[in-house]
Amino acid sequence: GSGGFRKRKHDNFPHGQRREEKENVNPPSALMASFKSFQMELDTRHDKYERLVKLSRDITIESKRTIFLLHRFTSAPNGEEILSESEVKLDAVRRKIKQVAQELIGEDMYQFHRAISPGLQEYVEAVSFQYFIKTRSLISVEEINKQLIFTAEDREETTNMTSNSHDKQPHMWSLKVTPVDYLLGVADLTGELMRLCISSVGNGDIDTPFELSQFLRQIYDGFTFIGNTGPYEVSKKLYTLKQSLAKVENACYTLKVRGSEIPKHMLADVFSTKTELIDQEEGLP
Amino acid sequence: MSVSEMFAALQGALGQDQDIREEIRKVVQALEQTAREILTLLQGVHQGPGFQHIPKKCQKAREHFGTVRTQMESLKTKFPADQYYRFHEHWRFVLQRLVFLAAFVVYLESETLVTREAVAEILGIEADRERGFHLDIEDYLSGVLTLASELARLAVNSVTAGDYSRPLRISTFINELDSGFRLLNLKNDSLRKRYDGLKYDVKKIEEVVYDLSIRGLNKEATVGAGEEK
């Protein structure tokens, strides 16, 4: 018997809103009514997904720009200015992330994780790069997540929030960067540090490369410790990380071996040819 | 915190994650086993004598769904309730299959499409995300699409078994299902791919109905169908 089944009832089914269909079905049958509601549900979900993808793109772009800005730090005499400018930029990125957090209120974050993950990784990269330049150490996940707790007075964004479901947590939104996003962001960071190393040699800065090679080695050791516990993407990055580390270590080697032979003022020239070579090999931004 | 401490902490988190996945995989394997058993049971309806025993087979299948419910209960305890979509991939396939099986049973019993709420009830899970382990809408729809191809097959085999009225009823049902799916705006994902197969099922059933009509076999069938209803 079918007695145990509840029939889905749609009392306020909007009549007359149907599209042109082949009409061998009596219009508002129970089946059509439920498909109508599925349509709504799927459309809502897809719309949200698209909005998040767009936010993620914006976050990526702004974070990339911040990184480019920070690369100018070593060469510029006005270091402080660049740092504060990068802070402003990162604040803008965080406002975008706040919007993401608002979109995700009452949702399972992992359902939309694929939409926002690229942006978050890029943000981790930017924020950890800035943190490194300031403190010469690695920012922790907890530290990053601490900055991603937003309160209402953060500045009321005119987000066209469709749902009013944020009654549960009226004035607090937060977003957590997952360990995997963090790891992937840090792996990208090492690429930036490699660039920083090479360019600082170009500027005649001989101390930074050694500092960087030590720092990179620590990160590399960390990644080898994780090994294949993490997902596939993490182990994939390990290869690139190894290459970056090799470049930095080679740079340090060259500095050590040839540094004593070549007069200081010519060091930059020796190295700049070396840099070009590396850039060609790399073929990637 | 030093770099190595940070990475040790991350490694711990990832390790825990792996343990959870391992646990889930075990339960999912058990679920797959039950699903196979139900499928084997229901496959009997395609064979000639099977047509007389449909109610009996459905009843047996429903007993198996009791096992499914206990297995689902244990699956729910394997991971934090608010991280459903984090591990969704692990049970997605088996859940779609179970939706199909439940929908097939309900169709055989009452010749109606099972509602999402009813499937959730049969499987011992929730229909809404808010209330815990739930049935994702895309998984439900995928299961329903599997039902469509199974019914196309059933239409063919019921003719072979001499039941000429069933294909007509299946045809009406599938057509309604088809127009239901036409309402949806699907993205270019796996569900959309499955949906693209629906038209072949519709076509197949229409061919069967056509074959019956030109031979005048549907006359007695419609009378028969009328009596049944």
Side-chain angles (χ1 to χ4, degrees):
Chain A
S2 60
F5 293 107
R6 297 180 270 142
K7 258 256 148 90
R8 184 178 248 233
K9 288 215 177 64
H10 280 263
D11 297 323
N12 39 12
F13 176 77
H15 296 271
Q17 263 193 26
R18 283 168 51 88
R19 297 185 189 166
E20 72 299 339
E21 295 294 323
K22 43 178 186 177
E23 290 300 331
N24 47 6
V25 189
N26 301 330
S29 68
L31 190 145
M32 291 310 274
S34 44
F35 270 86
K36 192 78 197 171
S37 77
F38 296 157
Q39 180 199 47
M40 294 243 295
E41 192 174 338
L42 281 173
D43 285 353
T44 318
R45 181 186 288 192
H46 293 161
D47 289 349
K48 186 175 277 267
Y49 192 89
E50 288 307 320
R51 283 198 300 276
L52 286 169
V53 167
K54 190 169 177 304
L55 282 171
S56 166
R57 289 242 171 90
D58 292 346
I59 292 170
T60 309
I61 293 168
E62 270 309 303
S63 303
K64 276 221 164 80
R65 285 186 187 148
T66 313
I67 291 168
F68 274 108
L69 175 75
L70 286 168
H71 269 299
R72 268 173 256 143
F73 174 75
T74 39
S75 54
N78 47 351
E80 283 308 309
E81 218 169 274
I82 286 190
L83 269 186
S84 61
E85 199 183 332
S86 75
E87 194 54 48
V88 172
K89 272 184 184 291
L90 284 177
D91 271 335
V93 176
R94 276 192 280 269
R95 271 201 296 281
K96 290 274 181 205
I97 297 182
K98 181 183 173 185
Q99 288 179 30
V100 172
Q102 284 172 328
E103 285 281 2
L104 290 177
I105 290 164
E107 300 281 352
D108 184 338
M109 178 202 167
Y110 286 94
Q111 188 177 1
F112 300 98
H113 188 235
R114 284 231 317 240
I116 54 171
S117 172
L120 286 182
Q121 285 172 32
E122 207 66 30
Y123 171 72
V124 169
E125 188 180 341
V127 125
S128 57
F129 192 37
Q130 192 209 34
Y131 190 86
F132 175 80
I133 287 175
K134 276 202 286 203
T135 68
R136 302 276 147 169
S137 59
L138 183 65
I139 194 169
S140 66
V141 206
E142 292 80 15
E143 190 73 26
I144 291 180
N145 284 336
K146 223 181 281 170
Q147 294 177 339
L148 297 182
I149 298 169
F150 308 100
T151 46
E153 57 266 41
D154 253 2
R155 189 184 128 183
E156 230 10 88
E157 278 291 321
T158 47
T159 43
N160 35 1
M161 285 287 299
T162 40
S163 65
N164 297 319
S165 56
H166 41 104
D167 300 324
K168 294 171 199 161
Q169 280 184 308
H171 297 300
M172 281 271 269
W173 301 282
S174 69
L175 195 78
K176 280 213 166 63
V177 172
T178 67
V180 173
D181 283 338
Y182 172 76
L183 278 175
L184 293 174
V186 169
D188 290 337
L189 167 73
T190 57
E192 298 307 326
L193 294 179
M194 185 269 291
R195 278 178 61 191
L196 185 69
C197 167
I198 304 299
S199 67
S200 62
V201 178
N203 294 325
D205 181 354
I206 318 185
D207 299 327
T208 311
F210 291 99
E211 221 173 297
L212 276 169
S213 81
Q214 191 145 28
F215 184 65
L216 277 182
R217 226 170 281 147
Q218 282 177 9
I219 294 185
Y220 180 73
D221 290 349
F223 270 96
T224 30
F225 181 64
I226 283 175
N228 55 4
T229 322
Y232 172 65
E233 299 101 294
V234 174
S235 15
K236 218 168 54 179
K237 295 259 173 167
L238 196 57
Y239 176 71
T240 333
L241 175 52
K242 202 170 181 175
Q243 281 186 322
S244 300
L245 181 61
K247 277 174 202 164
V248 173
E249 283 178 341
N250 279 332
C252 290
Y253 166 82
T254 318
L255 277 177
K256 198 83 186 172
V257 174
R258 321 235 333 241
S260 53
E261 297 168 7
I262 301 165
K264 265 236 162 83
H265 65 276
M266 282 173 66
L267 197 64
D269 299 336
V270 171
F271 228 89
S272 58
T273 48
K274 172 97 185 158
T275 314
E276 275 161 31
L277 257 174
I278 286 171
D279 278 346
Q280 276 169 11
E281 277 168 33
E282 195 187 9
L284 279 165
Chain B
M1 224 205 291
S2 79
V3 174
S4 61
E5 279 167 358
M6 263 182 233
F7 274 91
L10 287 167
Q11 205 278 337
L14 291 173
Q16 274 174 16
D17 225 67
Q18 260 188 345
D19 293 344
I20 293 179
R21 285 176 200 278
E22 206 53 53
E23 288 285 304
I24 291 176
R25 235 167 277 162
K26 269 184 224 153
V27 187
V28 167
Q29 260 169 22
L31 270 171
E32 275 168 353
Q33 177 62 31
T34 320
R36 274 196 297 272
E37 281 164 19
I38 301 175
L39 183 63
T40 317
L41 191 68
L42 291 176
Q43 287 298 312
V45 300
H46 290 290
Q47 279 156 18
F51 280 92
Q52 285 97 52
H53 304 305
I54 285 178
K56 216 184 194 171
K57 288 203 158 61
C58 290
Q59 207 191 337
K60 267 201 178 149
R62 280 193 177 268
E63 283 162 23
H64 278 80
F65 275 112
T67 322
V68 170
R69 278 193 288 274
T70 43
Q71 282 163 343
M72 282 291 183
E73 275 317 313
S74 107
L75 180 59
K76 283 178 210 171
T77 61
K78 300 298 179 207
F79 65 98
D82 57 345
Q83 298 189 356
Y84 180 91
Y85 284 100
R86 185 162 177 197
F87 306 105
H88 190 193
E89 286 306 314
H90 293 292
W91 56 74
R92 195 163 204 174
F93 177 78
V94 75
L95 195 55
Q96 288 175 3
R97 166 135 299 193
L98 288 168
V99 169
F100 153 63
L101 292 168
F104 196 28
V105 170
V106 170
Y107 180 82
L108 290 172
E109 284 170 349
S110 64
E111 307 214 339
T112 54
L113 177 67
V114 70
T115 63
R116 195 168 153 204
E117 288 79 2
V119 185
E121 211 174 296
I122 295 174
L123 302 180
I125 56 180
E126 302 292 342
D128 290 325
R129 195 177 70 81
E130 277 76 20
R131 285 188 294 185
F133 194 101
H134 68 287
L135 175 59
D136 186 83
I137 182 169
E138 292 183 34
D139 292 340
Y140 166 73
L141 292 172
S142 278
V144 169
L145 285 172
T146 316
L147 173 70
S149 39
E150 188 68 16
L151 289 182
R153 187 175 158 223
L154 186 66
V156 173
N157 288 331
S158 49
V159 173
T160 319
D163 182 350
Y164 298 142
S165 63
R166 191 176 285 275
L168 298 181
R169 299 199 304 272
I170 292 179
S171 169
T172 323
F173 178 77
I174 291 277
N175 272 321
E176 192 174 2
L177 205 59
D178 186 45
S179 31
F181 271 97
R182 272 161 202 260
L183 284 179
L184 307 179
N185 309 309
L186 297 176
K187 285 220 298 192
N188 208 359
D189 56 7
S190 71
L191 182 60
R192 160 76 185 280
K193 261 177 222 136
R194 304 282 292 275
Y195 164 68
D196 287 342
L198 181 62
K199 58 177 178 284
Y200 299 110
D201 301 327
V202 174
K203 181 165 172 268
K204 181 83 218 164
I205 295 166
E206 276 172 359
E207 277 168 10
V208 173
V209 172
Y210 170 77
D211 281 339
L212 291 176
S213 321
I214 56 164
R215 290 170 181 81
L217 289 170
N218 63 340
K219 285 239 175 61
E220 46 180 315
T222 34
V223 173
E227 278 167 6
E228 261 180 57
K229 281 213 172 156

